Amino acid sequence: MTVWEPLAAAVEARLIAASSGERAVFAAGVAERLLASHEALPAHEHDPFTLSLRPLLEHVWAGALGDATASRAVRRGVAEIMLGDHGHHDGPYGPYGPRDEHEPAAAAVLDAAHAHLFGCRDFASWVSGHAVAALDHDPDGAEWPDHEIPGIDEAIATELRRQVRDLDLIATCSTQLHVAGLGLFPSTAARLGDALRTPLSRPA
């Protein structure tokens, strides 16, 4: 057993036990780190589709933190993608195509949007997996063999430990997040943003 497998199991168990509101914030936080990392790349390494997902992630954050009106914007954003050039309803990649699936930040934002809309554990788990996949991601679409990346097991373990810590933090706001989907007072949503978005968005 690798050093990271028990950590992966711990993340999965925590997501199973979490409320839909906790899962939505977790997914938004992981997607934020991946998207911010992509945005920080040199311009010639940017993927235009990935960058175009920033407004969608902002709506996901707003909804996850208690803005009941944001879900409509998330649904509209997802629908536009599914009906546009990046929408694919067949094949192994679900509602978006294989090109985008190979870019972990894009895949994470899209799955975070679905985690917010539907609340099920699968989407949050997939966002967790995208963060792990990003550790050995080749921008040209291939996956590097593990032996070409010294310390990949420890890198995965570090990412999963971060996810466990994120879930610990999110659990401290479980009462508010349990009802966040119904809408929170703006002052409560602002406090949640300060307590959760800022620390969850920090680089690993």
Side-chain angles (χ1 to χ4, degrees):
M1 179 178 292
T2 64
V3 66
W4 55 263
E5 287 177 293
L7 292 164
V11 170
E12 187 70 9
R14 295 286 295 274
L15 289 174
I16 290 171
S19 68
S20 59
E22 290 173 283
R23 292 171 186 152
V25 170
F26 170 80
V30 175
E32 176 67 41
R33 289 194 287 114
L34 292 178
L35 183 57
S37 177
H38 187 88
E39 290 169 335
L41 292 172
H44 70 275
E45 295 183 30
H46 285 161
D47 178 78
F49 175 69
T50 300
L51 295 181
S52 76
L53 295 176
R54 169 53 71 182
L56 177 60
L57 184 55
E58 292 299 319
H59 292 311
V60 171
W61 269 120
L65 294 173
D67 180 354
T69 67
S71 292
R72 180 179 300 175
V74 176
R75 286 194 296 270
R76 183 172 60 248
V78 170
E80 289 173 353
I81 292 166
M82 293 177 69
L83 295 172
D85 292 340
H86 292 273
H88 299 267
H89 298 272
D90 54 355
Y93 298 102
Y96 40 92
R99 174 178 169 275
D100 309 319
E101 175 75 1
H102 285 163
E103 206 301 290
V109 173
L110 291 165
D111 280 334
H114 285 84
H116 167 65
L117 292 174
F118 303 112
C120 60
R121 183 259 308 168
D122 286 348
F123 290 114
S125 295
W126 292 339
V127 174
S128 168
H130 295 316
V132 171
L135 298 171
D136 64 352
H137 173 65
D138 172 5
D140 292 328
E143 290 186 358
W144 298 108
D146 287 353
H147 69 268
E148 292 190 9
I149 305 178
I152 185 64
D153 283 352
E154 185 54 40
I156 293 172
T158 297
E159 169 60 33
L160 292 171
R161 290 188 193 103
R162 164 65 188 266
Q163 293 183 20
V164 171
R165 292 196 302 272
D166 287 352
L167 287 163
D168 286 340
L169 175 64
I170 291 166
T172 66
C173 300
S174 61
T175 300
Q176 299 97 314
L177 292 174
H178 187 71
V179 296
L182 302 175
L184 299 174
F185 289 117
S187 59
T188 303
R191 286 195 298 272
L192 271 182
D194 291 339
L196 295 177
R197 178 166 181 173
T198 298
L200 292 177
S201 300
R202 292 189 186 112

